[in-house]
Amino acid sequence: MIKARTLSGFMELLPEEQIQMNLLLEEIKACYERFSFTPLDTPVMEAAEVLLAKGGGDTEKEIYLLEKGSTELALRFDLTVPLAKYVALYYDKLAFPFRRYQVGKVYRGERAQKGRFREFYQADIDIIGDGSLDISNDAEIPAVMYQVFQSLGLTNFAIHINNRKLLSGFYASLGLENKSGEIMRLVDKLDKVGAEKLRAMLQEELALTPAVIDQILDFMTLRGSNQEILTQLRGQAASHPRLQAGVDELEAVCQTLAGYGVPESAYVIDLSIARGLDYYTGTVYETLVTAHPEWGSICSGGRYDNLAGYYCKKQLPGVGMSIGVTRLYDLLRQNHLLNPKARTSPCDILILPMTDHVDPATHLAAELRAQGFKTQIYLEPKKFKHKMNYANKLQVPYLVFLGEDELNSGTISCKDMVSGDQQSFTKDAFIQNMHEQLARRDQEPLIAE
Amino acid sequence: MIKARTLSGFMELLPEEQIQMNLLLEEIKACYERFSFTPLDTPVMEAAEVLLAKGGGDTEKEIYLLEKGSTELALRFDLTVPLAKYVALYYDKLAFPFRRYQVGKVYRGERAQKGRFREFYQADIDIIGDGSLDISNDAEIPAVMYQVFQSLGLTNFAIHINNRKLLSGFYASLGLENKSGEIMRLVDKLDKVGAEKLRAMLQEELALTPAVIDQILDFMTLRGSNQEILTQLRGQAASHPRLQAGVDELEAVCQTLAGYGVPESAYVIDLSIARGLDYYTGTVYETLVTAHPEWGSICSGGRYDNLAGYYCKKQLPGVGMSIGVTRLYDLLRQNHLLNPKARTSPCDILILPMTDHVDPATHLAAELRAQGFKTQIYLEPKKFKHKMNYANKLQVPYLVFLGEDELNSGTISCKDMVSGDQQSFTKDAFIQNMHEQLARRDQEPLIAE
């Protein structure tokens, strides 16, 4: 006999948890679709050389490689590289701007720790332009995410926004043009390592002087309202044309966000974020749940001007964000932020036939299913108590008893398992009552902070 | 530069195809949920020893193994073995009968050919009992599948039903008790190799006499209505108690199917099917699309009395079926069975702002999205002709023009892209009209035979 086990770093949920996780995934997808993103579903496995076209970095160390056949295969570690491949491969058949969403599992063989999994869901949206892509798209993407969080009932979060053009323009204004990539990589660790350690790293690894480091850290930690920060940035922007371009973009994004109905409270300009991945070239985003910054970003992304450039000569700029759904679910679960009033049972109505003949139950069940109710008949020849235990364990909200009396009178006897009330209905009244009760439950947001 | 490519045997769809595929997957899930199956989502990757607990057979040759770390890892090749692991692992926390569905990708490194993929979706339902599981469940499972096909608009199919107890009882009645597993494995190939070749295989590999082979083939190819076949079987049943038990089960399944509203035309008793996998112990199923038997079964399964036995000492009998969704989609696509009236655009309403200021468009879009319409604003500064080409390429059904006139009069100007009609509406009238038009479209079945 083999011991049943699940690999560490792989989330596997109990049924009631899985229903919550699915509600989370479904709400995200529904929101993406309302913004008219088209679904894609690329393979989990690709030729290793395709996935590693960009090469370098931590990615290569964490990738899962496969042994089969003569082609070296790998499991995808994000959904962005497969998108770049897809757009390059099907360029002629796509309409641009190409707006796609993809929700799928990705794989990283890193050490399992809080908020980090080896197999996890990402839920991405990206917009890819052909030759050019208007800056308003850089506002639409976080506006979609704002709507996603609204729909889920998550209110205490902030989308942090920055612009890498602005950063690299700032470094260029300090005469550090050639080091800007390296500086961004280190400054991106500010959250994790703190100011003192970062100061030491900038001095030792990049040989910056303390005076320059002061200037950098002052800039990174500019604080104030979004408007105040923009005002300060405008004051410095003339010092380098690239800084000016970055400030203009950031300002345009903030203005358009207001047009999308995203309130000031939902986003902050944060000059300290840069995103480690070096394919971002403009706007960058990270999202923190306000009370739980230690979980890291739950939704990140940015603008990349030439990702498909690894595969084709076309200039295909894009902008996108990705929700780390597995991490978000884990955060919500472990911090008790999931609404206990949202659905957790696979079953709306459990029918207990109290007579030998099962046909009346199957006929009623067919009618209830046609109404959209999740309906089950208890079919096992077990004791009544066992059946009630089953209903309780499944957290079934409504039980229907179908005995001789009900069959003769054409009524339905229903027990509300929360209140404990038992009531007799005509079939029509029962169906209407179920619609009302279940609609009320299904309007409960998934998250209750 | 790396050449963009997708591995052979891995289905990757164009956007409009992906929307159809998603409609297929969503309809299957919705149907499973109406029957109160609970969703599960086990990892794609497991410890190799766990997945190979059953061992032997073609499985081991086809499995994808992974190189990472010290544990030998493998990609799942079906969803049944992970279910057995799950039930053994979480036994104490589950309510039995445990009804779960799982829709997910599985991996088999076999040679790619018609209807066969290396990565493909399975959509499984199973019911697992604790100690025992009533035979009525063997009818409920194909009844769910019948409802799935009804919802999809697929009518020309037949669920083939047999019973392995009946088969092994029949072989025992011929004195072939010890060879029944081997005979079933060969007879299962009848469809593929034909009667003559099968005859030769039974003679050469198992040393059966021509007289016995005649008896077997006569039995396998019993024809007639389901009732006629059952009548004939009842006549032979007394020759062995196991044959009797199998006939009783098969009869019970057929009777209960009628109670579930499954018509006689939807299923056939077919004594020639046995399913290659040796964990089935009772009822077995295969489903053929009537006009396309060469595609093989699109939905198969059966009763297994002790699958979790590889991992625990509990007796956990189950019954289930699995739709090969990738194969089914490919069959539908290649045989032009997908309804062109079903949705293929990610966008219901495309708004073209005809003024410089984009805010009226974002506000209208927000209202339309709140109504559930998939709404997009065209934001790129391109020529009018380019925008119309975009709408055509995306197959957008409705275009809204938002110019000075509309903004001043508070009206909405909408072009029906199918009829070509352009009409002006008040906002309320527009919203109501859209609800009616889109509801009509969304009621179109996915399949039009």
Side-chain angles (χ1 to χ4, degrees):
Chain A
M1 208 175 291
I2 302 288
K3 191 172 153 36
R5 66 192 174 96
T6 300
L7 297 167
S8 83
F10 288 69
M11 181 180 272
E12 190 169 66
L13 300 171
L14 289 172
E16 57 274 20
E17 298 172 322
Q18 188 67 55
I19 289 172
Q20 295 172 321
M21 176 70 170
N22 282 21
L23 290 174
L24 179 58
L25 288 164
E26 292 310 319
E27 190 62 51
I28 292 169
K29 285 184 210 171
C31 214
Y32 289 174
E33 292 199 350
R34 282 198 296 275
F35 277 81
S36 226
F37 287 83
T38 201
L40 275 196
D41 180 19
T42 61
V44 169
M45 209 186 294
E46 303 259 9
E49 60 165 12
V50 169
L51 285 190
L52 294 169
K54 185 181 147 295
D58 292 339
T59 311
E60 214 146 343
K61 276 177 272 168
E62 294 177 354
I63 203 164
Y64 283 100
L65 296 169
L66 282 98
E67 283 171 4
K68 200 93 198 163
S70 59
T71 313
E72 201 179 11
L73 306 173
L75 301 189
R76 65 188 178 201
F77 51 87
D78 71 7
L79 302 174
T80 312
V81 174
L83 170 64
K85 178 213 79 172
Y86 185 93
V87 172
L89 191 53
Y90 304 104
Y91 171 83
D92 290 336
K93 291 178 174 150
L94 303 179
F96 290 91
F98 179 58
R99 299 158 67 91
R100 86 85 177 81
Y101 80 86
Q102 184 164 1
V103 176
K105 288 176 168 179
V106 303
Y107 296 84
R108 295 189 194 169
E110 59 186 336
R111 198 164 57 83
Q113 51 175 302
K114 186 174 195 156
R116 305 237 170 223
F117 292 87
R118 289 178 176 160
E119 175 185 73
F120 58 97
Y121 275 99
Q122 288 194 330
D124 287 26
I125 44 173
D126 287 84
I127 307 176
I128 314 284
D130 186 8
S132 66
L133 185 70
D134 196 74
I135 186 70
S136 57
N137 292 284
D138 295 47
E140 176 153 343
I141 292 285
V144 177
M145 293 307 183
Y146 171 75
Q147 286 301 333
V148 169
F149 298 137
Q150 288 290 107
S151 307
L152 291 170
L154 184 70
T155 51
N156 294 311
F157 67 91
I159 302 175
H160 292 238
I161 303 184
N162 196 6
N163 187 298
R164 282 178 63 126
K165 223 171 263 173
L166 183 161
L167 288 183
S168 94
F170 167 70
Y171 295 125
S173 78
L174 298 180
L176 299 169
E177 177 97 47
N178 297 331
K179 291 181 175 171
S180 72
E182 281 298 287
I183 299 173
M184 279 189 239
R185 192 179 57 78
L186 291 179
V187 170
D188 206 33
K189 299 180 195 283
L190 177 60
D191 272 3
K192 286 177 199 147
V193 302
E196 278 323 295
K197 174 87 175 135
L198 176 61
R199 211 177 267 279
M201 289 159 81
L202 288 170
Q203 195 163 353
E204 286 158 27
E205 295 185 30
L206 302 178
L208 303 188
T209 65
V212 166
I213 293 175
D214 280 345
Q215 276 185 286
I216 293 173
L217 288 182
D218 284 353
F219 188 79
M220 290 306 126
T221 53
L222 260 186
R223 290 287 174 268
S225 72
N226 292 328
Q227 281 315 316
E228 285 164 1
I229 296 178
L230 281 173
T231 304
Q232 291 200 51
L233 287 172
R234 248 179 263 127
Q236 298 188 40
S239 62
H240 195 279
R242 206 179 314 132
L243 177 57
Q244 180 73 59
V247 173
D248 289 349
E249 286 186 7
L250 188 59
E251 201 161 7
V253 169
C254 292
Q255 252 166 30
T256 316
L257 274 172
Y260 271 101
V262 179
E264 279 279 330
S265 59
Y267 64 96
V268 290
I269 297 174
D270 178 350
L271 302 178
S272 75
I273 66 161
R275 304 298 303 151
L277 296 166
D278 63 17
Y279 53 68
Y280 292 119
T281 52
T283 312
V284 286
Y285 320 91
E286 290 189 358
T287 307
L288 296 178
V289 177
T290 316
H292 306 286
E294 74 281 8
W295 282 74
S297 176
I298 55 154
C299 179
S300 314
R303 156 80 72 149
Y304 38 88
D305 272 344
N306 200 16
L307 191 59
Y310 299 111
Y311 309 108
C312 69
K313 285 180 183 155
K314 298 265 184 286
Q315 181 80 15
L316 302 171
V319 60
M321 286 179 90
S322 171
I323 300 178
V325 190
T326 302
R327 178 186 296 187
L328 175 58
Y329 177 75
D330 203 30
L331 183 161
L332 296 171
R333 179 176 57 163
Q334 298 212 30
N335 293 290
H336 311 291
L337 295 173
L338 291 158
N339 182 358
K341 291 184 191 154
R343 184 167 76 85
T344 54
S345 179
C347 182
D348 297 331
I349 303 168
L350 180 67
I351 301 175
L352 302 189
M354 314 295 277
T355 60
D356 284 343
H357 204 53
V358 79
D359 281 2
T362 54
H363 295 156
L364 176 62
E367 267 190 272
L368 296 177
R369 288 177 188 129
Q371 294 286 332
F373 305 137
K374 299 174 171 69
T375 308
Q376 179 182 345
I377 309 168
Y378 192 96
L379 290 168
E380 302 307 297
K382 301 258 176 170
K383 295 222 171 73
F384 184 75
K385 196 183 154 198
H386 192 282
K387 295 177 185 177
M388 293 304 287
N389 282 345
Y390 180 76
N392 282 320
K393 206 163 179 182
L394 267 194
Q395 303 175 37
V396 176
Y398 300 99
L399 264 191
V400 164
F401 303 102
L402 217 52
E404 289 296 346
D405 287 356
E406 287 80 11
L407 293 179
N408 291 334
S409 62
T411 59
I412 285 172
S413 179
C414 173
K415 185 182 171 97
D416 179 325
M417 295 292 280
V418 176
S419 69
D421 294 347
Q422 190 163 332
Q423 230 183 312
S424 187
F425 295 90
T426 64
K427 192 160 54 183
D428 288 350
F430 175 69
I431 287 173
Q432 193 180 337
N433 185 50
M434 283 297 98
H435 276 302
E436 288 164 12
Q437 300 296 335
L438 295 169
R440 200 168 302 152
R441 180 201 60 187
D442 291 342
Q443 272 161 23
E444 287 287 336
L446 180 63
I447 298 173
E449 285 170 314
Chain B
M1 207 174 294
I2 302 287
K3 190 171 153 35
R5 66 193 175 96
T6 301
L7 297 167
S8 83
F10 288 69
M11 181 181 272
E12 190 168 66
L13 300 172
L14 289 172
E16 58 273 21
E17 297 172 322
Q18 188 67 55
I19 288 171
Q20 295 172 321
M21 175 69 170
N22 283 20
L23 289 174
L24 179 58
L25 288 164
E26 292 310 319
E27 191 63 51
I28 292 169
K29 285 184 210 172
C31 215
Y32 288 174
E33 292 200 349
R34 283 198 297 276
F35 277 81
S36 225
F37 286 83
T38 201
L40 275 196
D41 181 20
T42 62
V44 169
M45 209 186 294
E46 304 258 10
E49 58 164 14
V50 169
L51 285 189
L52 293 169
K54 186 180 148 296
D58 291 338
T59 312
E60 214 146 345
K61 274 177 273 166
E62 294 177 355
I63 202 164
Y64 282 101
L65 295 170
L66 281 99
E67 283 171 6
K68 199 95 198 162
S70 59
T71 314
E72 201 180 12
L73 306 172
L75 301 189
R76 65 187 179 203
F77 51 87
D78 71 7
L79 302 174
T80 313
V81 173
L83 170 64
K85 179 214 79 171
Y86 185 92
V87 172
L89 190 53
Y90 304 104
Y91 171 82
D92 289 337
K93 292 178 175 151
L94 303 178
F96 292 91
F98 178 58
R99 300 157 67 90
R100 87 87 177 78
Y101 79 86
Q102 183 164 2
V103 176
K105 288 176 168 179
V106 302
Y107 296 83
R108 295 189 193 168
E110 60 187 336
R111 199 165 56 82
Q113 51 174 301
K114 185 174 196 156
R116 305 239 168 219
F117 292 86
R118 290 178 175 161
E119 175 185 72
F120 57 98
Y121 275 98
Q122 288 194 330
D124 286 26
I125 43 173
D126 287 84
I127 307 176
I128 313 284
D130 186 7
S132 67
L133 185 70
D134 196 75
I135 186 71
S136 57
N137 292 284
D138 295 48
E140 176 152 345
I141 292 285
V144 176
M145 292 307 183
Y146 172 75
Q147 285 301 333
V148 169
F149 299 136
Q150 289 290 107
S151 306
L152 291 171
L154 183 70
T155 51
N156 294 311
F157 67 91
I159 303 175
H160 294 237
I161 304 185
N162 196 5
N163 187 298
R164 281 178 65 126
K165 224 171 265 174
L166 183 160
L167 288 182
S168 92
F170 167 71
Y171 295 124
S173 78
L174 298 179
L176 298 168
E177 177 97 48
N178 298 331
K179 291 182 175 170
S180 71
E182 280 299 286
I183 298 174
M184 279 190 239
R185 193 179 57 77
L186 291 179
V187 170
D188 206 34
K189 300 179 196 279
L190 176 60
D191 272 6
K192 285 176 201 150
V193 303
E196 277 323 294
K197 174 90 174 133
L198 176 61
R199 213 177 266 277
M201 289 160 81
L202 288 170
Q203 194 163 355
E204 286 157 27
E205 296 187 29
L206 302 177
L208 303 187
T209 66
V212 166
I213 293 175
D214 281 344
Q215 277 186 286
I216 293 174
L217 287 183
D218 284 353
F219 187 79
M220 290 307 125
T221 52
L222 261 187
R223 290 287 175 269
S225 71
N226 292 328
Q227 282 313 317
E228 286 164 359
I229 296 178
L230 281 173
T231 304
Q232 292 201 52
L233 287 172
R234 247 180 263 128
Q236 299 188 39
S239 63
H240 195 280
R242 205 179 315 132
L243 177 55
Q244 180 74 59
V247 173
D248 289 348
E249 286 186 5
L250 188 58
E251 200 161 7
V253 169
C254 292
Q255 252 166 28
T256 317
L257 274 173
Y260 271 101
V262 180
E264 280 279 328
S265 58
Y267 65 97
V268 290
I269 297 174
D270 178 350
L271 301 178
S272 76
I273 66 160
R275 304 299 302 153
L277 296 165
D278 63 15
Y279 53 68
Y280 293 119
T281 52
T283 313
V284 287
Y285 319 92
E286 289 190 357
T287 308
L288 296 178
V289 177
T290 316
H292 305 285
E294 73 282 8
W295 282 74
S297 175
I298 53 154
C299 179
S300 314
R303 155 80 71 148
Y304 38 87
D305 273 343
N306 199 17
L307 191 59
Y310 299 112
Y311 309 109
C312 69
K313 285 180 183 154
K314 299 263 183 285
Q315 181 79 16
L316 303 172
V319 60
M321 286 179 89
S322 171
I323 300 178
V325 189
T326 301
R327 178 187 296 187
L328 175 58
Y329 177 75
D330 203 31
L331 183 161
L332 296 172
R333 178 177 58 162
Q334 298 212 29
N335 293 291
H336 311 293
L337 295 172
L338 291 159
N339 182 359
K341 291 184 192 155
R343 183 168 75 85
T344 54
S345 179
C347 182
D348 296 332
I349 303 169
L350 181 67
I351 301 176
L352 302 189
M354 313 295 278
T355 60
D356 284 343
H357 204 51
V358 80
D359 281 2
T362 54
H363 295 155
L364 176 63
E367 267 190 271
L368 297 177
R369 287 177 189 131
Q371 294 287 331
F373 305 137
K374 299 175 172 67
T375 308
Q376 178 182 343
I377 309 168
Y378 192 96
L379 289 167
E380 303 306 298
K382 302 259 175 166
K383 293 223 171 71
F384 184 75
K385 196 183 156 201
H386 192 283
K387 295 177 186 180
M388 293 305 286
N389 282 344
Y390 180 77
N392 281 321
K393 207 164 178 182
L394 267 194
Q395 303 174 38
V396 175
Y398 300 99
L399 263 190
V400 163
F401 304 101
L402 216 53
E404 289 296 345
D405 286 356
E406 287 81 12
L407 293 179
N408 292 334
S409 62
T411 58
I412 285 171
S413 180
C414 174
K415 186 181 170 100
D416 178 326
M417 296 292 280
V418 176
S419 69
D421 294 346
Q422 189 163 334
Q423 231 183 311
S424 187
F425 295 90
T426 64
K427 192 160 54 182
D428 287 350
F430 175 69
I431 287 173
Q432 193 180 338
N433 184 51
M434 283 297 99
H435 276 302
E436 287 164 13
Q437 300 295 335
L438 295 169
R440 200 168 301 152
R441 179 200 61 187
D442 291 342
Q443 272 160 22
E444 287 286 336
L446 179 64
I447 299 172
E449 285 169 314

